[in-house]
């Protein structure tokens, strides 16, 4: 029963006639009335504007005669079901085409059965609304939202361009090709100009829905120039998108683009969009989208959607360009700051492998020290880019400066800690800097090895300990105490000293290389040990083998590896004595020095070496009280002269005047030595000087 108010709701009342009149003359919803045989008997004014149906001569005809391909599928099934059951169907989507080369039209159809008062079936009434634009708008919004989450997931130009192409096909186009300026791939910004100014465009992505597309698609990395008076050149000149609605053999400009034009023809493209890619005033490249399988051409709405997507991908590509430029600059800086090559050293044989994958701040160093000793250093600076590389350079320079002071390993790290803390404080005070503490950890491992005593001392600031491979095949971690990373926490560092057999191999690496193997130190040790054995092979071969086995395929960070095989200096290369603190000791030191040099076959250098020893011993007699230690070390092309006394007073070089009676000892030592210096001892100090005995210096 239908609810009504008084007599206004009686069948046949004036209100009923008014409602029917409004529905058939003023309603914006198309209404069709069908008889039980589904023949059209009546339709309203709005139905004439539903262009899916040709109603001019449709009265008395079945929908299959005036509904075209819209009648197949949902429309026919809905009419028959409602006619049979009497259950209304609401908002059924009906899709079809006016012609094969026209875009799809989407209708919303609601269907009701008409019955008389006795329940007899009089026919059907259908309400039809064209929702094509609503569906297209929803699809465009969905594409924009989906593309926004999938384009620009990385800072890689080729990957970002491919993500754009993948989203465009087949949602908007049958084929998409993205070309980027060569200068952009180098990290440079392209300014707007004429086509001839741009140079080559390089294909960075392509995607097609056609199975045979490979024959006409450009290959990734292929470079093509631009021809004038084509949509590609014009779009890059005025930075406006272009739509060629109908493309065919009669299109004149195809001849001016011999390669692109030929490929468009081979693909059977009939409609084209050309989209300039620009961001922040920079020209990135161009994207062209075309249809060959989809029968209808692009329209203005699709051009606007494609242009908006092109703006989004252009911004992502420019971000990738900026990242590539900074990464390239950081890598150049990083490579310029690391050792170009590691020179040979009498204390150790060294080999290294270095793969700069992430433009980070990982480094190593081999620093010659006094007394034929050597410092082996490895460190990490967290993060990537210019700041990480600059921090690495600052820390490495500081280590080199501190190492020559012959400080103990723990004291070197304590001073480095103070330096890095100050650097962090300076960066924190900059208004444009906001760095997470976790991302700026700087670690360092510092080892000092002496071939005379075959002892190694080391300390660590949050860095993995060195791996030690002994000649008998044993592989273990060297027990080096670890303190906090540089610049964080309190500067509490301890050092450990251990003896190494000759031909032992020390492995130092960056943190990321070991963590790429496993987070378990024991698993790391097993993998490293398998790669190190046997240790008698050439050291560079071992080093490369370790890198091959430890570096995963998808390594994202730098891989830094330094190997050092220890050597020892035996009694035939070292001469040492303890002399009393007496003026006559200088003469005795000269005599013993001459004998040692004669034993080494270096008697021709006796005058220079004995002069240095005599002056250093005389200086020790004058300024100390206890016994004096003298040691000569034959270190390759130099003889190291060392004199140790119990005085902590550090001598200073000065230039004596002609009338001065003293002060010439260190000056003479400096004149005839390759280098000289002092180092603190547990009690007192050692003054040392290296005298060259190379034939080239004669």
């Amino acid at each position: 029963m239908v609810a009504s108010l008084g007599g206004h709701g009686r069948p046949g009342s004036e209100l009923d006639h008014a409602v029917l009149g409004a529905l058939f003359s003023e309603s914006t919803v198309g209404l069709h009335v069908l008889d039980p045989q589904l023949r059209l008997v009546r339709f309203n004014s709005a139905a004439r504007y539903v262009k899916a149906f040709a109603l001019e001569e449709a009265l008395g005809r079945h929908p299959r005669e005036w509904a075209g391909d819209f009648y197949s599928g949902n429309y026919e099934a809905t009419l028959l079901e409602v006619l049979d059951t009497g259950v209304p169907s609401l908002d059924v989507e009906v899709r079809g085409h006016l012609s094969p080369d026209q875009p799809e039209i989407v209708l919303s159809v609601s269907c009701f059965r008409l019955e008389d008062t006795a329940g007899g079936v009089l026919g059907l009434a259908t309400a039809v609304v064209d929702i094509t634009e609503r569906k297209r708008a929803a699809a465009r919004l969905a594409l924009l939202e989906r593309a926004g989450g999938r384009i620009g997931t990385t800072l890689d130009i080729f990957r970002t361009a491919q993500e754009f192409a993948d989203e465009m096909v087949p949602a908007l186009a049958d084929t998409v090709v993205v070309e980027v300026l060569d200068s952009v791939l180098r990290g440079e910004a392209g300014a707007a100009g004429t086509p001839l100014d741009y140079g080559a465009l390089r294909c960075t992505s392509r995607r097609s829905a056609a199975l045979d597309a490979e024959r006409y698609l450009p290959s990734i990395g292929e470079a093509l120039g631009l021809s004038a008076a084509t949509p590609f050149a014009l779009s890059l000149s005025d930075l406006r998108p272009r739509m060629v609605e109908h493309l065919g053999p009669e299109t004149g400009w195809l001849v001016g683009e011999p390669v692109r034009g030929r490929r468009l023809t081979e693909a059977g493209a009939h409609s084209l969009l050309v989209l300039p890619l620009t961001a922040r005033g920079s020209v990135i490249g161009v994207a062209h989208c075309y249809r060959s399988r989809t029968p209808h051409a692009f329209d203005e709405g699709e051009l606007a959607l494609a242009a908006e997507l092109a703006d989004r991908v252009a911004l992502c590509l420019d971000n990738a360009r900026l990242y590539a430029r900074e990464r390239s600059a950081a890598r150049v800086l990083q490579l310029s700051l690391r050792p170009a090559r590691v020179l040979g050293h009498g204390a150790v044989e060294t080999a290294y492998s270095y793969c700069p994958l992430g433009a980070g701040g990982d480094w190593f160093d081999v620093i010659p020290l006094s007394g034929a000793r050597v410092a082996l250093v490895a460190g990490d600076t967290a993060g990537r880019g210019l700041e990480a590389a600059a921090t690495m350079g600052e820390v490495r320079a500081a280590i080199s400066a501190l190492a020559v002071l012959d400080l103990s390993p723990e004291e070197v790290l304590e001073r480095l800690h103070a330096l890095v803390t100050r650097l962090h404080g300076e960066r924190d005070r900059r208004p444009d800097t906001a760095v997470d503490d976790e991302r700026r950890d700087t670690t360092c491992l510092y080892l000092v090895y002496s071939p005379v005593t075959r002892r190694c001392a080391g300390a660590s600031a949050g860095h993995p300990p060195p791996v030690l491979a002994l000649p008998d095949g044993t592989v273990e971690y060297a027990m080096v105490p670890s303190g906090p990373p540089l610049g964080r926490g309190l500067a509490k560092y301890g050092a450990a000293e251990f003896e190494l057999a000759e031909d032992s191999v020390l492995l130092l690496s960056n943190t990321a290389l070991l963590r790429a193997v496993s987070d378990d130190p024991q698993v790391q040790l097993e993998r490293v040990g398998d790669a190190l054995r046997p240790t008698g092979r050439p050291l560079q071969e071992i080093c490369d083998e370790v890198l091959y086995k430890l570096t995963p395929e998808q390594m994202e960070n730098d891989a830094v590896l330094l190997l050092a095989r220890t050597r020892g200096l035996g009694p035939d290369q070292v001469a040492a004595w303890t002399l009393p603190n007496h003026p006559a000791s200088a003469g005795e030191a000269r005599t013993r020095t001459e004998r040692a040099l004669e034993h080494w076959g270096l008697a021709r250098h006796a005058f220079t070496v004995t002069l240095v020893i005599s002056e250093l011993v005389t200086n020790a007699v004058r300024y100390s009280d206890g016994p004096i230690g003298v040691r000569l070390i034959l270190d390759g092309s130099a003889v190291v002269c060392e004199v140790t006394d119990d005085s902590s007073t550090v001598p200073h070089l000065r230039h004596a005047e002609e009338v001065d009676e003293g002060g010439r000892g260190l000056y003479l030592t400096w004149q005839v030595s390759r280098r000289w210096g002092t180092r603190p001892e547990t009690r007192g100090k050692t003054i040392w000087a290296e005298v060259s005995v190379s034939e080239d210096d004669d």
Side-chain angles (χ1 to χ4, degrees):
M1 180 179 292
V2 179
S4 63
L5 179 63
H8 295 289
R10 292 195 306 270
S13 67
E14 293 183 0
L15 181 60
D16 285 346
H17 290 295
V19 170
L20 288 174
L23 287 174
F24 277 87
S25 62
E26 300 179 19
S27 173
T28 58
V29 177
L31 295 177
H32 298 161
V33 179
L34 309 174
D35 67 11
Q37 287 73 42
L38 299 183
R39 291 173 298 198
L40 181 66
V41 296
R42 190 172 183 183
F43 57 87
N44 69 349
S45 300
R48 297 179 182 274
Y49 300 102
V50 179
K51 58 184 179 180
F53 301 138
L55 300 180
E56 288 77 7
E57 299 179 0
L59 288 175
R61 297 177 181 273
H62 193 277
R64 69 171 60 92
E65 299 181 60
W66 47 265
D69 67 351
F70 292 91
Y71 183 64
S72 60
N74 285 350
Y75 190 36
E76 179 183 16
T78 299
L79 295 178
L80 294 175
E81 182 180 357
V82 174
L83 185 64
D84 181 51
T85 64
V87 179
S89 290
L90 305 177
D91 295 325
V92 177
E93 284 190 9
V94 176
R95 298 172 180 268
H97 298 80
L98 294 178
S99 64
D101 61 342
Q102 293 293 317
E104 183 181 62
I105 294 177
V106 185
L107 305 176
S108 174
V109 177
S110 297
C111 187
F112 312 88
R113 192 169 73 176
L114 302 176
E115 301 175 354
D116 58 20
T117 55
V121 178
L122 299 177
L124 295 175
T126 62
V128 181
V129 178
D130 189 333
I131 59 172
T132 303
E133 286 305 318
R134 187 196 312 169
K135 284 293 182 180
R136 289 180 181 176
R140 291 167 184 170
L141 184 61
L143 177 58
L144 284 173
E145 183 177 354
R146 185 173 65 248
R150 295 181 180 177
I151 296 176
T153 59
T154 67
L155 289 172
D156 180 85
I157 290 179
F158 286 85
R159 177 72 177 273
T160 300
Q162 189 61 52
E163 289 169 344
F164 169 75
D166 292 343
E167 289 303 315
M168 295 285 282
V169 178
L172 195 62
D174 294 332
T175 302
V176 171
V177 175
V178 178
E179 297 177 280
V180 172
L181 296 176
D182 250 350
S183 58
V184 171
L185 294 175
R186 296 192 298 268
E188 302 170 8
T194 64
L196 296 179
D197 293 334
Y198 291 119
L201 286 163
R202 197 169 294 276
C203 175
T204 52
S205 72
R206 77 257 176 89
R207 176 73 184 271
S208 179
L211 298 177
D212 60 342
E214 194 62 37
R215 63 186 177 86
Y216 53 76
L217 285 177
S219 58
I220 298 297
E222 179 182 342
L224 285 177
L226 282 170
S227 300
T230 68
F232 306 99
L234 295 177
S235 287
L236 284 177
S237 295
D238 58 20
L239 304 182
R240 291 188 300 167
R242 293 287 194 287
M243 180 175 69
V244 182
E245 190 172 355
H246 299 291
L247 188 67
E250 71 283 356
T251 306
W253 61 262
L254 285 175
V255 179
E257 277 281 359
V259 178
R260 295 184 181 91
R262 173 179 55 80
R263 287 171 173 167
L264 287 171
T265 302
E266 290 178 358
H270 63 80
S271 190
L272 172 70
L273 297 180
V274 181
L275 310 169
L277 303 175
T278 65
R280 303 185 183 98
S282 299
V283 178
I284 308 298
V286 64
H288 37 106
C289 319
Y290 56 87
R291 284 177 173 168
S292 54
R293 294 159 54 93
T294 303
H296 58 274
F298 291 108
D299 58 29
E300 292 294 336
E302 290 168 328
L303 174 62
L305 173 61
E308 184 171 351
L309 288 172
D311 288 341
R312 291 194 181 189
V313 75
L315 185 61
C316 295
L317 289 171
D318 196 48
N319 290 338
R321 176 190 68 82
L322 293 172
Y323 171 74
R325 184 181 66 180
E326 180 175 339
R327 188 181 185 209
S328 177
R331 180 166 293 180
V332 170
L333 176 61
Q334 181 189 22
L335 293 176
S336 67
L337 292 175
R338 74 176 180 86
R341 63 189 182 94
V342 177
L343 299 175
H345 195 279
V348 291
E349 175 193 357
T350 57
Y352 66 92
S353 292
Y354 180 72
C355 292
L357 301 175
D362 304 328
W363 87 96
F364 68 91
D365 216 336
V366 178
I367 306 172
L369 301 178
S370 65
R373 299 171 306 142
V374 65
L376 306 173
V377 191
D380 299 337
T381 298
R384 297 182 180 181
L386 288 172
E387 184 170 341
T391 301
M392 177 266 283
E394 291 168 335
V395 174
R396 181 171 174 261
I399 289 177
S400 298
L402 292 171
V404 298
L405 298 178
D406 280 316
L407 303 173
S408 62
E410 67 270 24
E411 188 173 354
V412 169
L413 295 185
E414 287 171 2
R415 297 197 183 191
L416 279 175
H417 185 282
L419 170 67
V420 175
T421 300
R422 181 173 62 81
L423 293 176
H424 286 176
E426 291 176 353
R427 294 191 178 105
D428 289 341
R429 287 191 291 272
R430 296 206 309 254
D432 59 337
T433 303
V435 181
D436 184 0
D437 283 344
E438 295 295 331
R439 296 190 55 215
R440 64 181 186 185
D441 280 352
T442 301
T443 68
C444 182
L445 174 66
Y446 188 84
L447 305 177
V448 176
Y449 173 70
S450 171
V452 177
T453 62
R454 295 203 304 274
R455 297 191 66 81
C456 182
S460 171
H463 201 82
V467 176
L468 175 60
L470 300 175
D472 62 5
T474 302
V475 177
E476 60 190 17
Y477 286 116
M479 294 297 102
V480 175
S482 182
L486 299 174
R488 297 189 64 190
L490 297 176
K492 296 180 65 176
Y493 300 104
E497 190 170 333
F498 46 92
E499 187 170 344
L500 295 177
E502 194 169 352
D503 292 328
S504 298
V505 176
L506 285 165
L507 180 147
L508 289 74
S509 73
N510 60 324
T511 306
L513 180 60
L514 293 179
R515 287 181 178 170
V517 175
S518 172
D519 289 330
D520 186 346
Q522 201 57 40
V523 175
Q524 296 173 3
L525 185 63
E526 292 174 2
R527 291 281 303 278
V528 172
D530 291 341
L532 283 173
R533 300 186 188 94
T535 58
R537 294 173 292 161
L539 197 61
Q540 190 61 55
E541 178 184 324
I542 300 175
C543 190
D544 293 343
E545 182 73 14
V546 172
L547 196 69
Y548 298 153
K549 290 188 175 181
L550 298 191
T551 305
E553 292 183 4
Q554 301 300 323
M555 185 76 173
E556 297 181 354
N557 297 296
D558 297 347
V560 177
L561 191 62
L562 173 65
L563 265 62
R565 178 181 283 140
T566 62
R567 295 168 173 159
L569 297 180
D572 58 334
Q573 294 171 286
V574 180
W577 320 284
T578 300
L579 303 175
N581 194 314
H582 189 276
S585 294
E588 184 177 354
R590 286 195 297 270
T591 301
R592 296 193 179 192
T593 298
E594 290 172 350
R595 292 174 186 168
L597 293 174
E598 185 176 356
H599 177 70
W600 292 338
L602 300 173
R604 63 186 180 280
H605 298 284
F607 175 79
T608 304
V609 177
T610 55
L611 173 63
V612 171
I613 285 292
S614 176
E615 294 297 336
L616 295 182
V617 171
T618 300
N619 191 76
V621 169
R622 180 174 299 175
Y623 296 106
S624 67
D625 298 322
I628 299 169
V630 179
R631 185 168 68 175
L632 298 179
I633 303 172
L634 179 57
D635 182 21
S637 62
V639 172
V640 182
C641 306
E642 296 184 342
V643 174
T644 304
D645 58 51
D646 60 1
S647 172
S648 299
T649 303
V650 178
H652 296 282
L653 179 66
R654 66 186 181 90
H655 298 272
E657 301 295 338
E658 293 183 1
V659 296
D660 291 343
E661 296 182 0
R664 294 181 175 82
L666 285 181
Y667 179 75
L668 290 173
T669 300
W670 170 63
Q671 289 286 345
V672 300
S673 301
R674 193 158 61 183
R675 60 182 187 137
W676 74 279
T678 64
R679 66 171 181 265
E681 302 289 351
T682 305
R683 183 172 182 271
K685 66 178 183 302
T686 295
I687 306 177
W688 57 270
E690 288 185 5
V691 179
S692 175
V693 292
S694 171
E695 296 292 340
D696 296 335
D697 296 334
D698 288 347

